[in-house]
């Protein structure tokens, strides 16, 4: 799937993270109808936005009858791509999700460590964001007790 990642286009000085175009991801995950991935992305937009800006743009498509329609194309970050992969449910997605889970377990067991200080800081920041999300979910969850 690494061939699916694309460097950001536009300003060559921009330091944006590489993104994955939705239809290329759908192909890598084994979707029969590639555009079905957009329904999955739309359904999970609130959670994807927790991980950062969900990049999208209107793209014109011309039908067989010559009619032009604008559709939304998504560009997902690596984290957003991993989330959608876990939700996709295709054979390819399930296999990749197992690999991600095994890798995650190795990180938690200390078998994989950050390569440098920058990576260590990113890992620490990700852990803080995860703890914050859990805390917020507990506050707004169905069993949360709001004290006023």
């Amino acid at each position: 799937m690494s061939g699916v990642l694309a460097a950001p286009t536009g300003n060559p000085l921009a330091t944006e993270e590489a993104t994955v175009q939705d239809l290329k991801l759908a192909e890598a995950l084994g979707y029969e109808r590639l555009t079905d991935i957009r329904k999955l992305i739309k359904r999970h937009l609130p959670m994807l936005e927790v991980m950062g800006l969900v990049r999208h743009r209107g793209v014109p498509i011309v039908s067989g009858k010559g009619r032009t329609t604008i559709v939304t194309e998504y560009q997902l970050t690596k984290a957003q791509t991993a989330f959608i992969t876990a939700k996709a449910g295709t054979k390819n997605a399930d296999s990749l999700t197992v690999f991600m889970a095994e890798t995650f377990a190795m990180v938690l067991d200390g078998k994989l460590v950050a390569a440098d200080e920058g990576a260590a800081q990113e890992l620490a920041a990700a852990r803080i964001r995860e703890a914050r999300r859990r805390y917020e979910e507990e506050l707004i969850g169905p069993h949360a007790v709001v004290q006023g």
Side-chain angles (χ1 to χ4, degrees):
M1 182 147 106
S2 61
V4 174
L5 285 174
T9 58
N11 182 352
L13 302 176
T15 57
E16 293 181 17
E17 180 179 356
T19 59
V20 178
Q21 193 258 350
D22 56 6
L23 297 182
K24 288 183 181 179
L25 177 60
E27 185 176 4
L29 296 179
Y31 272 80
E32 287 185 30
R33 185 171 181 217
L34 299 182
T35 55
D36 283 349
I37 198 162
R38 292 178 175 156
K39 296 173 192 170
L40 182 66
I41 292 168
K42 285 179 191 174
R43 188 166 55 246
H44 292 288
L45 267 176
M47 191 54 93
L48 293 171
E49 289 170 341
V50 167
M51 293 176 253
L53 177 69
V54 177
R55 293 175 182 90
H56 63 281
R57 65 185 182 128
V59 178
I61 351 186
V62 180
S63 72
K65 297 180 180 180
R67 183 172 158 234
T68 301
T69 305
I70 303 295
V71 299
T72 301
E73 174 186 273
Y74 295 94
Q75 296 283 336
L76 303 178
T77 65
K78 288 178 271 187
Q80 292 163 340
T81 298
F83 182 85
I84 289 299
T85 297
K87 298 293 184 179
T90 65
K91 286 182 183 179
N92 291 357
D94 290 346
S95 179
L96 188 54
T97 300
V98 168
F99 174 74
M100 289 187 299
E102 290 172 340
T103 304
F104 176 73
M106 287 187 278
V107 169
L108 291 181
D109 292 343
K111 295 177 182 173
L112 296 178
V113 295
D116 56 30
E117 183 58 32
Q121 289 175 357
E122 284 184 46
L123 187 57
R127 287 183 175 139
I128 290 168
R129 287 190 303 273
E130 191 270 340
R132 184 179 306 127
R133 280 192 298 274
R134 282 183 184 223
Y135 174 75
E136 289 172 358
E137 287 172 5
E138 287 178 16
L139 285 179
I140 62 174
H143 303 295
V145 177
V146 179
Q147 302 201 7

